Amino acid sequence: GYIRYVGRIKLMLKVGGENVSIEEVENLVESHEDVAACGAVGVPDARRQEVVRAYVVLRAGHALGEAELRGWLEARLARFKQPRDILFVEDLPRLANGKKDRVTLQRLADEG
C-alpha cells in the first residue's frame, strides 16, 4: 500500500545553492565530437551540498583525455556546473527502451 520513489523527481542538482540541470551538462558533453554518450549524476560534497559527476563514453576509435575535455567544457559551461569527476566508461546502463538508466547510474556513483 506504499509508494516508494527511487531517483529524482526533477533532473536538477543543487550545487552550492545553484540549480544545475543534469540534462544540460549531459547534452553539452555529448556535443563534443569525441563523445558518444554522457550520464551525469549528483554526488555528495561537504562544502557545496552536491556536485556533478559525469560518466563519459567515447566514440569508437576516438581518444580524449580528461584534461582536454575539462578545457573544452570551461569555455562552454559555468564554473559551478563543471563536473568535479569525469569518469570514462565503456558503456552507460540503459533501460529496455534504450534510455539512460539514471537509477543504476546513481547507484554506481553512490557505491564509489
Side-chain angles (χ1 to χ4, degrees):
Y2 294 95
I3 296 175
R4 182 172 174 221
Y5 290 100
V6 179
R8 296 183 178 275
I9 293 175
K10 295 184 193 177
L11 295 176
M12 297 292 282
L13 301 175
K14 195 71 141 177
V15 178
E18 300 283 346
N19 288 326
V20 176
S21 167
I22 289 175
E23 291 177 319
E24 178 186 359
V25 174
E26 289 175 344
N27 291 337
L28 183 64
V29 173
E30 288 174 348
S31 71
H32 191 285
E33 63 186 13
D34 294 336
V35 175
C38 176
V41 295
V43 293
D45 182 76
R47 192 172 57 101
R48 294 192 278 173
Q49 193 172 356
E50 62 183 343
V51 292
V52 180
R53 175 179 289 168
Y55 292 91
V56 178
V57 178
L58 296 178
R59 291 187 191 281
H62 291 259
L64 178 68
E66 181 179 344
E68 184 181 348
L69 181 56
R70 284 190 186 282
W72 186 84
L73 288 172
E74 283 177 4
R76 293 165 176 82
L77 197 60
R79 187 172 179 88
F80 67 92
K81 295 180 183 181
Q82 300 277 333
R84 180 183 69 186
D85 307 318
I86 298 175
L87 303 174
F88 293 96
V89 295
E90 293 295 318
D91 200 12
L92 295 177
R94 302 261 178 199
L95 299 171
N97 63 5
K99 291 184 179 181
K100 296 172 193 166
D101 185 351
R102 296 184 186 282
V103 174
T104 301
L105 201 58
Q106 185 64 57
R107 194 174 301 127
L108 289 172
D110 293 342
E111 292 172 0

